[in-house]
Amino acid sequence: HLRWAECGAMGTNAIVGGGVPIATGLAWAKKREGQGHVAATFFGDGSAHIGAVPESMNLAALWSLPIAFFIENNGYAVATTLDEETKETRLSSRGGAFAIPAWRVDGMDLAAVVTASRMAVEHMRAGKGPTLIEAMVYRYFHHGGSILGSAFGYRGKDEEAEWKARDPLARTAREMIARGWLTQEQDDAIRANVAAAMAGIAARLRENDPESGKARIPPALWPKPEFRDHGLRGDLSEFAGARFEELESASAKTGEVKFVDAIATVMGRRMETDERIFVMGEDIHRLKGGTNGATKGLAQRFPDR
């Protein structure tokens, strides 16, 4: 899905709540780098109830990770209302369960969101751990489309109109005009420029199929077939030039070894040669290698990893 690493957008995916544990891992990595970076993961009210989300919150709090859990509470998980999802509809209360400070703000108020976000970033950069922001917002259209939700019968047009009247862009413009920071003419010009820019982008990204006449993405914009291997790791080229020996003609000492000991030995060797490798799990630090010994000696040799 969408990824723009240079801009700090590290990727999305189609799994409900799936980005939260990934962002938590990223926050863990950023903390280790020690450069003051923070991470933010955005998800909805439906995702807030996926198991990986509270699991991520627990670890983030336990390890004081610099991550903001930003819940966009629009009241619906597709067509399921928030009241049907949970008894406790204040999703910001999830933070308290893990000792994470939380803010509940009007997501249709730009100033409120900016203020809460600044407070969250200040908290995280001070090394105090994760934060949670619940923004009360609204999804104008049906899930993942351009048709109004009222067309599907799970909400009414009056509700949509009420929220539309509180649109944050229009609200911000109105309040700026009232304060003399912006004129109506300037706002109209900004909106016209944005509409023209979007129309230009859409025109470059689609064309009419000469045979069917239907809109399509221009063939030149599709990735080349060979792009399928871009970024692929583990294509066996890492073994180029490696020395292989058969047991019968091995030049070094051989002998029987327990499989679990072989795992620990190989893990140890890999951790010696690649500082990016970390081991996480239950009981590996006090049971001398976990319940089965697969990490024997690693906690002592690599205490920070």
Side-chain angles (χ1 to χ4, degrees):
H1 279 250
L2 303 178
R3 185 174 189 271
W4 188 4
E6 296 80 2
C7 192
M10 303 309 293
T12 62
N13 63 75
I15 306 303
V16 178
V20 178
I22 296 174
T24 303
L26 178 65
W28 183 74
K30 292 304 178 183
K31 179 179 180 179
R32 293 188 64 87
E33 289 178 0
Q35 298 180 9
H37 293 156
V38 301
T41 178
F42 299 86
F43 53 99
D45 46 290
S47 297
H49 308 116
I50 297 298
V53 173
E55 291 174 8
S56 297
M57 290 181 179
N58 180 59
L59 285 179
L62 185 64
W63 296 337
S64 297
L65 303 183
I67 180 173
F69 298 97
F70 197 108
I71 304 176
E72 297 173 333
N73 185 352
N74 61 35
Y76 293 91
V78 185
T80 302
T81 66
L82 185 60
D83 289 335
E84 293 173 313
E85 297 175 43
T86 178
K87 187 70 173 180
E88 172 54 282
T89 57
R90 297 171 302 170
L91 301 183
S92 50
S93 69
R94 305 298 194 270
F98 304 104
I100 298 176
W103 291 263
R104 193 172 197 247
V105 300
D106 180 359
M108 310 298 273
D109 183 345
L110 175 63
V113 175
V114 169
T115 300
S117 298
R118 284 176 173 170
M119 295 172 68
V121 169
E122 181 180 354
H123 177 93
M124 292 184 288
R125 287 198 168 138
K128 298 179 180 179
T131 57
L132 187 152
I133 297 174
E134 178 189 9
M136 309 304 294
V137 295
Y138 198 71
R139 187 188 74 222
Y140 295 146
F141 299 102
H142 180 59
H143 176 75
S146 59
I147 302 174
L148 291 174
S150 55
F152 294 84
Y154 61 85
R155 67 188 190 198
K157 293 183 178 180
D158 290 345
E159 177 184 307
E160 292 173 340
E162 180 182 345
W163 279 92
K164 187 72 174 179
R166 297 177 54 213
D167 182 88
L169 296 180
R171 178 178 181 176
T172 301
R174 285 196 305 269
E175 297 190 4
M176 290 180 69
I177 291 172
R179 288 166 171 76
W181 300 344
L182 183 75
T183 66
Q184 185 62 57
E185 291 73 20
Q186 288 172 329
D187 182 51
D188 292 341
I190 291 172
R191 289 178 176 274
N193 286 339
V194 171
M198 294 305 296
I201 291 170
R204 293 198 298 271
L205 294 179
R206 68 178 182 179
E207 65 181 14
N208 289 328
D209 188 324
E211 296 183 2
S212 67
K214 295 181 180 181
R216 71 176 187 182
I217 297 175
L221 295 182
W222 287 99
K224 300 292 189 296
E226 56 269 22
F227 183 75
R228 69 186 184 279
D229 292 333
H230 178 72
L232 183 68
R233 299 194 301 180
D235 61 355
L236 303 184
S237 62
E238 62 268 30
F239 290 110
R243 181 171 59 89
F244 294 90
E245 293 189 357
E246 298 296 334
L247 176 62
E248 293 76 12
S249 57
S251 58
K253 181 182 178 181
T254 63
E256 292 188 0
V257 61
K258 291 183 178 179
F259 187 65
V260 71
D261 291 336
I263 293 175
T265 301
V266 172
M267 281 297 299
R269 177 58 181 157
R270 292 295 293 120
M271 294 183 74
E272 285 178 357
T273 57
D274 192 341
E275 63 180 10
R276 298 173 302 172
I277 296 178
F278 295 82
V279 179
M280 297 183 189
E282 292 179 297
D283 302 321
I284 63 176
H285 62 323
R286 292 202 181 97
L287 288 184
K288 298 180 180 180
T291 55
N292 296 304
T295 55
K296 185 185 301 182
L298 300 187
Q300 290 72 34
R301 294 173 61 191
F302 310 99
D304 63 331
R305 290 162 58 193

